[in-house]
Amino acid sequence: MRITSCICPVLVCLCFVQRCYGAAHHGSIKVTRNQTKHVEGETEVHHRPKRGWVWNQFFVLEEHMGPDPQYVGKLHSNSDKGDGSVKYILTGEGAGTIFIIDDTTGDIHSTKSLDREQKTHYVLHAQAIDRRTNKPLEPESEFIIKVQDINDNAPKFTDGPYIVTVPEMSEMGTSVLQVTATDADDPTYGNSARVVYSILQGQPYFSVDPKTGVIRTALHNMDREAREHYSVVIQAKDMAGQVGGLSGSTTVNITLTDVNDNPPRFPQKHYQLYVPESAQVGSAVGKIKANDADTGSNADMKYTIINGDGSGVFSISTDKETREGILSLKKPLNYEKKKSYTLNIEGANTHLDFRFSHLGPFKDVTMLKIIVGDVDEPPLFTMPSYVMEVYENAKIGTPVGTVTAQDPDAANSLVRYFIDHNTEEDRYFTIDASTGTIKTAKIFDREETPWYNITVAASEIDNPGLVSHVPVGVRILDVNDNPPELARDYDVVVCENAKPGQVIQTITATDKDNSANGARFHFSLDEGLSLNPNFTLRNNEDNTASILTRRRRYSRTTQDTYYLPVLISDGGVPPLSSSSTLTIRVCACERDGRVRTCHAEAFLSSAGLSTGALIAILLCIVILLVFSLAIVVLFITLRRSKKEPLIISEEDVRENVVTYDDEGGGEEDTEAFDITALRNPSAAEELKYRRDVRPEAKPVSRHHLSSSLDSIDVQEFIKQRLAEADLDPSVPPYDSLQTYAYEGHRSEAGSISSLDSTTTHSDQDYNYLGDWGPEFKKLAELYGEIESERTT
């Protein structure tokens, strides 16, 4: 199959080449197909394949405006015999919408006007099939339809209009800006996108390079002060500027920037200024200005007084906004002493451009004459302000100080003084109108107001309208009229387990007087009271005092609150003192000093017993049960050992009342129940026996008994004692009660028995009970309270 294309008469030669030479000269694709012939009774024979179809790229002009579809090209297959049996099919980009094909002849047409700037080419696929069988006669192949460009787009300046600056007085040919125009046409085809620049407006000041679009200055010494703004119109034309080309333009707004090419100049060489003698020192009394045609920093100016008899009286500064010279007064003027001054003032640029130094000098000088005006001035105080002092509690009418003012004029008029009662503070003082002496009008309290500010005025008697003012500050001096007090309300706590000499609180004091009268404090106990047995006070000599305990242990149940009077005196003249009472509460504390509770509690509170108390009670119950068991065993043993029956007669089986009226052995009988049996055997000095009956058995040695007791427990001890009682011939021949209250050896914590506590005075400290854990906390509190009661 071949493709033919006849776009326009210009392409007739191209069509001829396509038909004759095919793709050999244009990189086309050649497609072949294999043909086979089937003969009845013969095997299949393969022949040399023949050329199928060959085509080049198709071309279609953009922007076609004709009434009929634009012819693009033709598809043709070698299998097409012209009988209409071959059907041509076109698929791909734009197939059926933009490009249509006659399925019988293979002619391709474009139905729409195309724009190359939107899409440059289309990729399509062609196929030839048998119309009867719908089977392909040729393999599907791909071809391209390119949109051929025409000059339908004018150049455009996408960044315009432009705003640019260039310094004035620049050299001719100074580059200002480069403009660039873009053309959407195909730059590779013809001159449709070849742009040439030209200047339509802005000559003869500026020029433009036709190829690059660079704008340059075209004149020497362009002066901003003569003309500042320029509007330049640049044109870009395609087709290399030939007739028929399309064009576009843009505007470039060029502003000449300033350089310092103009020196400053005073409009006049002589000036005259009137200044009244009443002008205040530091105030501005006049202005002067030198003109400069430049702008910005190039017009910045500095004014200086270079000479003249008034250089020490006046000063000049520069206002940066208005570039004016501000003349100020440095010293007061006095018409009676000097009536005029002469100043030479220079104005000079601060930023110089040495390229234009030949236009200078960039400074100018003028002369200023100042005339001093005579005015009637108000009285003048001898001092700009006054500070006076008076003691607090001074009587009304006490002199505070004196102010003095004089009339500065030659007339030297008399002066009258008065206080402006503009504020409440001004009513606390009076002033003598003739002498200016200030006196108190009330009694002052420094602690209430330590300082007063008033304003005193002075005016001439002949001209009351001329008034001058002066501030007067009055400091109230302190006297020692306030006794010291405790700095705050102290909550003092003492622990029940406190030790003698322990610091329980540090106190300090305050004084409303100043440091000269109230900073040194002395603390002591009231000497009028008897010596306090519970607490003492130590003066620390640093305006603080410490409260210390004087005895060991305190009990909440005995006394839960103590009161300690403290006397505080200051170091003023004369010294003042005051008495304050500290309240000290007794509290239960942990070993580290933390307060646990400060409320008094009974040994058995209604809320229940603590764990330690319950353990102690259970321990006592167990001991009582052991004692009871021992008594029962002893009673049974003694009953069995009796040989004489209690019944008098065997015939008398009646119940008889047997009377035992044995009163015992008196005082000696108590020897059998020595109290040392209740102690540890190692604590007994010796074993004592009954003295009313001589024992027949050999007594056991003390050393042997002590050594044997060291190695036995309670149960073995009771058994040995029972055996000794059964074999001891010295015991009475009747039932008797013996006590075996052996408590074992002493533990590391010591005995908690209360026996013999009434006869032995001990300073034992029970604080260690607090280390046994929370179970013994209640027991530690109980013993702490008992010890405190016993000590008390």
Side-chain angles (χ1 to χ4, degrees), residues 89-101 122-125 143:
I89 298 175
L90 185 66
T91 59
E93 296 179 336
T97 56
I98 300 176
F99 303 103
I100 59 175
I101 187 172
Y122 296 85
V123 179
L124 295 99
H125 299 85
F143 66 96

Side-chain angles (χ1 to χ4, degrees), residues 25 253 575:
H25 302 281
N253 296 311

Side-chain angles (χ1 to χ4, degrees), residues 446-758:
R446 189 202 67 85
E447 287 72 37
E448 180 180 350
T449 306
W451 188 275
Y452 291 88
N453 294 308
I454 63 175
T455 301
V456 176
S459 65
E460 296 181 9
I461 295 178
D462 298 336
N463 189 0
L466 295 176
V467 181
S468 59
H469 300 81
V470 66
V472 178
V474 181
R475 181 186 296 110
I476 307 301
L477 301 178
D478 183 58
V479 297
N480 193 23
D481 58 346
N482 291 279
E485 300 175 348
L486 285 177
R488 59 183 177 86
D489 294 333
Y490 290 94
D491 183 15
V492 187
V493 172
V494 61
C495 296
E496 288 185 316
N497 57 354
K499 297 179 181 180
Q502 181 176 343
V503 177
I504 61 175
Q505 182 68 52
T506 299
I507 61 175
T508 184
T510 58
D511 196 321
K512 294 181 181 179
D513 297 319
N514 62 20
S515 59
N517 290 312
R520 300 183 301 274
F521 299 122
H522 178 76
F523 301 85
S524 62
L525 296 179
D526 195 343
E527 297 179 355
L529 301 177
S530 59
L531 181 63
N532 193 312
N534 301 306
F535 303 97
T536 185
L537 183 141
R538 181 181 65 200
N539 188 25
N540 297 327
E541 303 297 336
D542 60 352
N543 291 332
T544 64
S546 300
I547 308 300
L548 295 85
T549 58
R550 296 196 64 176
R551 64 183 181 88
R552 182 188 300 273
R553 295 192 171 277
Y554 296 83
S555 175
R556 289 174 295 159
T557 58
T558 302
Q559 185 174 350
D560 59 352
T561 304
Y562 294 87
Y563 299 97
L564 184 66
V566 177
L567 186 66
I568 311 171
S569 61
D570 58 22
V573 179
L576 297 179
S577 62
S578 65
S579 180
S580 301
T581 301
L582 293 175
T583 301
I584 304 175
R585 297 184 299 148
V586 181
C587 300
C589 305
E590 303 289 350
R591 289 185 60 84
D592 57 1
R594 291 180 299 170
V595 176
R596 189 167 67 248
T597 178
C598 294
H599 301 286
E601 299 177 352
F603 288 107
L604 297 177
S605 61
S606 59
L609 298 176
S610 65
T611 304
L614 292 175
I615 293 175
I617 293 173
L618 292 176
L619 183 60
C620 294
I621 293 175
V622 171
I623 294 174
L624 291 176
L625 291 176
V626 173
F627 289 164
S628 300
L629 179 61
I631 292 172
V632 172
V633 173
L634 179 61
F635 179 77
I636 294 174
T637 303
L638 293 177
R639 185 179 183 92
R640 291 178 178 176
S641 63
K642 290 185 178 181
K643 299 178 180 180
E644 182 179 351
L646 294 177
I647 301 176
I648 300 175
S649 176
E650 294 181 356
E651 289 84 4
D652 191 359
V653 294
R654 294 175 300 170
E655 294 181 355
N656 295 294
V657 179
V658 180
T659 302
Y660 301 95
D661 51 352
D662 186 357
E663 297 180 355
E667 294 180 358
E668 294 181 353
D669 189 40
T670 60
E671 297 289 341
F673 307 98
D674 192 359
I675 195 64
T676 58
L678 297 178
R679 302 179 183 172
N680 191 298
S682 61
E685 297 180 357
E686 60 178 292
L687 296 176
K688 298 182 180 180
Y689 296 91
R690 300 241 350 222
R691 293 180 293 177
D692 57 343
V693 180
R694 182 177 182 179
E696 297 179 359
K698 184 178 180 179
V700 181
S701 66
R702 177 177 178 272
H703 176 73
H704 176 72
L705 179 60
S706 175
S707 61
S708 62
L709 291 176
D710 290 340
S711 60
I712 61 175
D713 55 10
V714 177
Q715 184 176 4
E716 290 295 329
F717 169 75
I718 294 176
K719 289 182 179 180
Q720 291 182 10
R721 286 299 179 91
L722 289 176
E724 291 173 2
D726 291 341
L727 301 176
D728 190 0
S730 62
V731 299
Y734 46 79
D735 294 339
S736 64
L737 176 63
Q738 295 193 21
T739 303
Y740 303 100
Y742 177 63
E743 297 182 353
H745 293 281
R746 186 185 304 272
S747 66
E748 294 181 0
S751 175
I752 61 175
S753 174
S754 61
L755 296 178
D756 204 25
S757 62
T758 58

Side-chain angles (χ1 to χ4, degrees), residues 349-410:
N349 284 145
T350 57
H351 301 86
L352 300 179
D353 192 335
F354 295 102
R355 295 178 302 171
F356 310 103
S357 59
H358 62 282
L359 301 176
F362 284 80
K363 60 183 177 180
D364 196 14
V365 179
T366 188
M367 187 179 70
L368 174 64
K369 184 177 182 180
I370 300 174
I371 305 299
V372 179
D374 184 23
V375 295
D376 190 5
E377 301 173 83
L380 181 64
F381 284 97
T382 57
M383 297 179 62
S385 63
Y386 294 86
V387 176
M388 303 176 182
E389 296 178 343
V390 65
Y391 280 98
E392 64 175 329
N393 301 328
K395 296 181 180 180
I396 296 177
T398 300
V400 178
T402 302
V403 296
T404 304
Q406 294 180 349
D407 183 10
D409 298 324

Side-chain angles (χ1 to χ4, degrees), residues 271-276 285-286 305 309-311 313-315 327-329 333 338-345 367-373:
Y271 291 89
Q272 184 170 304
L273 178 65
Y274 173 84
V275 179
V285 296
I305 299 176
D309 57 358
S311 59
V313 181
F314 298 91
S315 63
L327 195 67
S328 301
L329 188 63
L333 300 177
K338 190 172 179 61
K339 296 179 175 58
S340 66
Y341 297 90
T342 301
L343 301 175
N344 290 325
I345 300 177
M367 187 179 70
L368 174 64
K369 184 177 182 180
I370 300 174
I371 305 299
V372 179

